[in-house]
Amino acid sequence: MKKRMLKIRLFAGGLAAVMSMSTLSSVAFAAEAEPIEQVIEAENPSTDYYAPEIIQENTVVTFENTQEATDEVNTNDVMNEMVTENEAETSATEETNTVAADVQVTEMAVADEAAVDELVVDEAVVDDAAVEDAENSTTTDKEALEILVAKMDVENPVKASDTFVKEEVVDGALVRKYVREGRLEVERIFYSDGRFVEKILTPGLLIHPPKIAGYDNVTQKAGEVKVTPSILNSERTYNLDGTWTETTYDKGVEKSKTDYTAEEMQKIIKAENQTLHDLYEAKRIEESASLEEILDFFSNLNKDGTGVIAENADSIDSTEEVKKEMPSGDLPPIIKKAYSMALDKAIAKMPGGAIIGDTVKNIVLKAMHLDTPQQDPNEAVLKRIDEAQHKTEQLLSSNKRVDIIVNAIGTTGQALDSFTNSCTTLAQEIYNVRNKNSSGKISETSMLVNIAKKIGSPDQWINSGSHIFSKLSDAAAVLGSTANNGTSSDPNKRNIYQLFFDYNKESSMFSGEAIDKSAGQLQQRIQDFALNCDVLMEVLNIHEKVANFTDEQIDSLTNEEDKAFCRKVKNNKSEIEDKKHLVTCAFTGDKTSEFEKARYGIIDAVRQYNSQSRTVFFEQTNTGFNEVALSTKVYTQKSEKTNMTTLKSHSGLSVDQLYKLQKHVNGMGITMEEYLDQVGFDLSPIKNTDRKAYLSTLSTKTKSFHSGRGKGHGYNSKSYTGINMREKNAAESSQYSFYKYKGYFWEKDEDTTYRDGILVVLQKEK
């Protein structure tokens, strides 16, 4: 295309030269013949005259301009012919001169055309080289941009919070636009010369015009919607020499500018990506982490609480190198706090979570060297209610079956009481030492040493059966054991959860009731245990402070025994970490342990215990219990459609069992609906109707009067017996329905028999 345009330009120049020579000839003849000038003005008064050099410089290279130049030359030729005719009439001699002049002009035109052809050839050669250079330049720019984009994707990658919007080319630069969370705009600009700029902007505001009420109450807008310009917040520039420049702005006005080396900027960018990744990971953990994931995290927690073991650490591509530069397994506080918060949420959601409550969070926070809520666990221990009410002696024996249960609970209770007594004494001693420091009797350093000494030095913890940590392990084994892996004092090795369940089963008619009765007894023991662990963890943290004493702090102590104690603690710091891990695993279990029992903690035991069915009916017999597993679904039937066979086919309980249930509920002082709801039945069919609900006692009668043959009409009266679901101390009563009908008067029985639930009749208004 460029070659063609250049040729057109040259051709136009040649034509202009020919035209100028023709014009000169016309002027020469005009000097001898006066009428010629008048003929030109009369025939073509609007023809513009352009000097050859002006035409060559200003002619726009288009086909239209070329055609105009050709037309102008043709016009001059016509004028020359007219002049030639007049001269022929005037003088024969002049004709001879004209012929000679034409020959001369023709020769000059031919010479000019040859020169033009030669120039076209030369320019074509030059043009080929220019086009090739331009193509090479375009290819080079494209490759340079690709290299720069790849480089920045590694050195300054797009943030995880940025969402791609569009890509465009502006003045030869590649511009990629993103939207960042928080309503920010991001522009990444790549230049072919190797420069890169990343801009962070606050988007402009939409200004809507005011609305004006027009004629006929039609609302009109006074003007158009306008958008204010975006405001530049910061600008990060990669310079040609490999350095970086960070510029910040305040409302679009430059505030500061800082230059960085490539190495310095890489550290800044990696830190930004790591922080962003941590925020996203923390958000994910708090919102969607499962209990299994959370427990695995605490199992993989390093003994020193700094983070998880390296092979289990999460990473993302943009921060992988940062992970490698950090200490092995190190995790930021935000991740550890997220797991502690997620643990609280997961416990609250799991069955029986109320038994554990929020007792675990403080312990795991301390295990990970994180701040805990401002409270003194020692004061909480001292203020706890009398332990006597939790002793196993308070359990009453009603038969030999219960005697075995009470004795087994008593054995497990001894381990819990022993740990509780030790921690209560420890809390009192810590309280006294802190009072001495508050009154100025001892220094801060002496206070820490004296508190740490209350549980001895780490070398004394090893192989000491009477030590507080042995009591911790025994108590944790009681509360963390799973089903049928409990105390050996029970013939069936039931754990403490099963023992309390079976104890309360004696006074319950559904499993859900026994679970709920056991909850309070179990919850108090778990909360006492957690409170004891909190005190012990407090002392272990003080041990860590002593282990980090400087030589100057140790030398400041006046007691040589205290100095020797501090050095023992410093030499056995790893033992402190092991014991903190032991406290945490009492709740979470150590999923990495080679011993199966050690893999389960209190959380696992509580979850397993509360995962059992809540709708198992208990009927005491002379030899034990008759248990009937029922569906949580409550079957309903309209009163006008009651049928004896249908009622019995839907009930998992006999009439005698229903009477026993009625007596039991009446003795609790609540309604049947309230009881079944607490136990765990789905009562939505009853709650979502305006009819009265009666628990069917499986008896019904039908009286009918039918007239006409086939599908005639008549009256139907149905009566049945049931217990009012919403009445306290309710008794069995007889209800009936009376209605007209068309068609067959009998009701067909359903073929499907369930026999796994209870049936409620929904009474039609009389």
Side-chain angles (χ1 to χ4, degrees):
M1 184 66 186
K2 292 177 66 178
K3 292 181 179 181
R4 179 180 298 177
M5 300 300 289
L6 184 58
K7 291 180 179 180
I8 292 172
R9 184 186 296 116
L10 295 174
F11 181 62
L15 290 176
V18 174
M19 182 186 68
S20 64
M21 287 184 287
S22 300
T23 305
L24 291 174
S25 300
S26 301
V27 171
F29 291 124
E32 298 178 359
E34 295 179 359
I36 294 177
E37 184 177 357
Q38 296 176 357
V39 172
I40 294 175
E41 290 179 356
E43 294 295 330
N44 194 6
S46 62
T47 301
D48 295 329
Y49 175 78
Y50 296 97
E53 60 272 20
I54 296 177
I55 294 177
Q56 293 178 4
E57 292 178 0
N58 297 334
T59 302
V60 180
V61 185
T62 61
F63 289 106
E64 294 178 358
N65 291 341
T66 304
Q67 184 64 40
E68 291 175 0
T70 305
D71 293 341
E72 186 175 359
V73 172
N74 293 338
T75 303
N76 290 333
D77 290 343
V78 172
M79 293 170 61
N80 289 337
E81 290 178 359
M82 294 173 61
V83 172
T84 304
E85 292 177 358
N86 291 333
E87 290 177 347
E89 295 175 357
T90 305
S91 173
T93 305
E94 292 177 355
E95 181 179 356
T96 303
N97 294 335
T98 300
V99 173
D102 289 339
V103 172
Q104 184 178 1
V105 170
T106 303
E107 291 176 353
M108 291 175 63
V110 172
D112 288 339
E113 289 178 3
V116 169
D117 291 339
E118 183 178 357
L119 182 60
V120 168
V121 174
D122 293 340
E123 291 292 339
V125 175
V126 174
D127 185 60
D128 289 338
V131 171
E132 185 176 356
D133 290 342
E135 291 176 351
N136 292 337
S137 176
T138 303
T139 304
T140 303
D141 290 348
K142 182 178 179 181
E143 293 175 350
L145 285 175
E146 292 176 351
I147 294 173
L148 182 60
V149 170
K151 178 181 177 65
M152 289 301 109
D153 284 345
V154 175
E155 296 185 4
N156 186 32
V158 177
K159 301 292 186 293
S161 58
D162 297 350
T163 303
F164 179 76
V165 177
K166 66 177 181 178
E167 177 182 301
E168 58 186 356
V169 177
V170 180
D171 296 333
L174 177 64
V175 180
R176 290 179 176 175
K177 296 186 177 182
Y178 302 81
V179 174
R180 177 168 296 178
E181 288 184 358
R183 285 192 70 254
L184 292 178
E185 296 177 349
V186 180
E187 292 185 2
R188 292 168 61 87
I189 308 172
F190 304 87
Y191 296 94
S192 59
D193 62 0
R195 289 177 298 122
F196 167 77
V197 177
E198 183 179 69
K199 296 181 179 181
I200 310 298
L201 309 99
T202 300
L205 301 176
L206 288 175
I207 301 178
H208 295 274
K211 295 181 179 180
I212 302 174
Y215 296 103
D216 299 329
N217 294 324
V218 177
T219 303
Q220 299 177 351
K221 292 183 178 180
E224 300 294 333
V225 177
K226 296 182 180 180
V227 181
T228 62
S230 300
I231 301 174
L232 183 61
N233 296 333
S234 65
E235 191 174 74
R236 177 175 292 174
T237 304
Y238 176 73
N239 304 310
L240 295 178
D241 59 358
T243 62
W244 291 79
T245 301
E246 190 87 22
T247 308
T248 60
Y249 297 85
D250 182 11
K251 297 180 180 179
V253 179
E254 184 176 324
K255 185 177 180 182
S256 64
K257 179 180 289 187
T258 308
D259 294 327
Y260 297 96
T261 64
E263 293 75 14
E264 292 172 337
M265 180 54 66
Q266 284 306 300
K267 291 181 180 179
I268 294 174
I269 293 174
K270 288 178 182 179
E272 291 175 348
N273 290 331
Q274 184 65 56
T275 300
L276 187 61
H277 169 257
D278 293 341
L279 289 172
Y280 272 78
E281 180 65 6
K283 184 178 180 181
R284 182 198 67 81
I285 292 168
E286 286 195 38
E287 292 181 352
S288 60
S290 64
L291 184 57
E292 286 73 15
E293 177 188 346
I294 298 168
L295 296 180
D296 285 342
F297 167 80
F298 287 111
S299 295
N300 290 313
L301 193 67
N302 287 346
K303 296 289 182 68
D304 61 0
T306 57
V308 295
I309 54 180
E311 56 266 32
N312 289 337
D314 295 330
S315 66
I316 56 175
D317 293 340
S318 60
T319 60
E320 185 176 357
E321 296 182 7
V322 181
K323 291 280 186 184
K324 294 178 180 178
E325 292 179 0
M326 297 170 67
S328 177
D330 194 17
L331 279 179
I334 189 174
I335 297 297
K336 293 186 282 188
K337 284 184 178 179
Y339 271 111
S340 68
M341 296 295 293
L343 180 61
D344 261 8
K345 292 181 179 180
I347 291 174
K349 292 179 180 179
M350 82 177 195
I355 295 177
I356 299 177
D358 58 354
T359 58
V360 184
K361 184 171 69 175
N362 289 349
I363 295 172
V364 297
L365 286 175
K366 289 180 179 178
M368 296 185 293
H369 303 278
L370 298 175
D371 294 333
T372 58
Q374 297 299 319
Q375 64 178 26
D376 188 349
N378 307 294
E379 292 183 1
V381 169
L382 297 176
K383 292 179 181 179
R384 94 170 106 201
I385 58 178
D386 185 10
E387 300 166 14
Q389 63 178 310
H390 309 308
K391 302 286 185 181
T392 55
E393 290 84 356
Q394 299 299 312
L395 300 178
L396 302 176
S397 299
S398 56
N399 53 52
K400 291 183 178 180
R401 182 174 61 243
V402 180
D403 287 342
I404 298 174
I405 297 173
V406 171
N407 291 334
I409 292 177
T411 302
T412 60
Q414 292 174 4
L416 297 175
D417 291 341
S418 178
F419 182 53
T420 295
N421 293 335
S422 295
C423 289
T424 302
T425 302
L426 178 61
Q428 182 65 62
E429 292 174 343
I430 294 173
Y431 184 80
N432 294 336
V433 173
R434 283 181 170 165
N435 281 341
K436 289 182 180 181
N437 174 252
S438 300
S439 61
K441 294 180 180 180
I442 59 175
S443 64
E444 181 79 15
T445 302
S446 295
M447 181 194 71
L448 295 176
V449 174
N450 287 332
I451 292 176
K453 288 172 64 177
K454 297 303 178 183
I455 62 173
S457 59
D459 60 306
Q460 296 174 322
W461 302 341
I462 305 172
N463 300 323
S464 177
S466 61
H467 203 275
I468 192 171
F469 290 108
S470 297
K471 298 177 182 179
L472 164 68
S473 298
D474 293 341
V478 169
L479 296 174
S481 58
T482 53
N484 303 321
N485 285 307
T487 176
S488 57
S489 61
D490 177 60
N492 298 318
K493 286 193 173 183
R494 288 172 288 187
N495 63 10
I496 191 172
Y497 305 95
Q498 292 174 301
L499 289 171
F500 273 106
F501 177 82
D502 288 344
Y503 175 81
N504 289 293
K505 183 178 178 181
E506 299 286 335
S507 60
S508 304
M509 295 210 74
F510 273 98
S511 55
E513 182 183 354
I515 291 173
D516 292 341
K517 286 180 177 178
S518 304
Q521 297 159 323
L522 293 168
Q523 183 182 44
Q524 189 60 58
R525 284 162 172 78
I526 292 174
Q527 289 182 348
D528 279 353
F529 176 78
L531 194 56
N532 296 332
C533 289
D534 204 9
V535 173
L536 185 55
M537 188 70 79
E538 182 77 12
V539 180
L540 288 172
N541 281 341
I542 292 176
H543 262 265
E544 285 189 330
K545 292 180 180 180
V546 174
N548 293 323
F549 274 179
T550 63
D551 293 337
E552 290 77 11
Q553 286 177 297
I554 296 176
D555 292 338
S556 67
L557 298 171
T558 57
N559 191 317
E560 292 298 327
E561 183 182 342
D562 291 347
K563 293 181 181 180
F565 173 81
C566 291
R567 293 188 177 94
K568 285 184 179 180
V569 174
K570 289 180 71 70
N571 294 333
N572 293 277
K573 187 175 181 180
S574 61
E575 189 65 24
I576 303 173
E577 298 165 353
D578 288 341
K579 290 300 181 283
K580 292 183 70 173
H581 191 65
L582 179 66
V583 175
T584 304
C585 288
F587 293 90
T588 64
D590 186 359
K591 308 305 180 188
T592 61
S593 176
E594 59 182 356
F595 302 106
E596 184 177 359
K597 286 187 176 181
R599 297 173 193 161
Y600 302 100
I602 295 174
I603 295 174
D604 298 293
V606 171
R607 181 170 54 164
Q608 182 191 61
Y609 166 68
N610 282 275
S611 296
Q612 59 185 312
S613 173
R614 294 179 57 89
T615 55
V616 178
F617 178 80
F618 297 145
E619 181 183 22
Q620 288 196 34
T621 64
N622 293 331
T623 58
F625 286 90
N626 177 27
E627 299 185 3
V628 182
L630 299 179
S631 169
T632 58
K633 181 179 179 180
V634 173
Y635 300 104
T636 60
Q637 192 173 58
K638 294 180 179 180
S639 60
E640 61 268 26
K641 294 181 177 293
T642 54
N643 180 282
M644 178 75 74
T645 306
T646 303
L647 290 175
K648 291 184 176 181
S649 68
H650 284 71
S651 178
L653 301 179
S654 66
V655 176
D656 289 339
Q657 290 171 334
L658 290 171
Y659 288 155
K660 291 179 181 179
L661 177 61
Q662 173 196 1
K663 182 179 179 180
H664 178 74
V665 173
N666 287 344
M668 297 176 67
I670 59 177
T671 67
M672 183 66 72
E673 181 179 354
E674 290 172 339
Y675 176 80
L676 295 178
D677 192 25
Q678 293 174 9
V679 166
F681 284 95
D682 178 14
L683 300 184
S684 55
I686 299 174
K687 295 178 179 180
N688 296 331
T689 181
D690 56 356
R691 292 190 175 206
K692 291 183 179 180
Y694 290 84
L695 177 64
S696 174
T697 50
L698 312 181
S699 176
T700 183
K701 293 181 180 179
T702 302
K703 293 182 179 180
S704 302
F705 171 77
H706 184 71
S707 63
R709 295 181 179 181
K711 295 183 178 181
H713 63 277
Y715 299 92
N716 202 354
S717 175
K718 289 202 171 191
S719 63
Y720 63 92
T721 57
I723 302 168
N724 192 324
M725 296 278 289
R726 294 173 179 150
E727 183 178 310
K728 293 181 180 180
N729 199 29
E732 182 185 32
S733 61
S734 180
Q735 305 294 325
Y736 70 93
S737 295
F738 184 78
Y739 60 95
K740 295 180 180 180
Y741 68 88
K742 290 183 179 180
Y744 294 108
F745 65 90
W746 57 83
E747 296 289 341
K748 294 183 178 180
D749 190 19
E750 296 184 20
D751 296 332
T752 304
T753 57
Y754 300 94
R755 301 187 186 281
D756 64 348
I758 56 177
L759 189 133
V760 175
V761 177
L762 301 178
Q763 174 64 40
K764 178 187 177 183
E765 293 294 335
K766 296 182 177 65

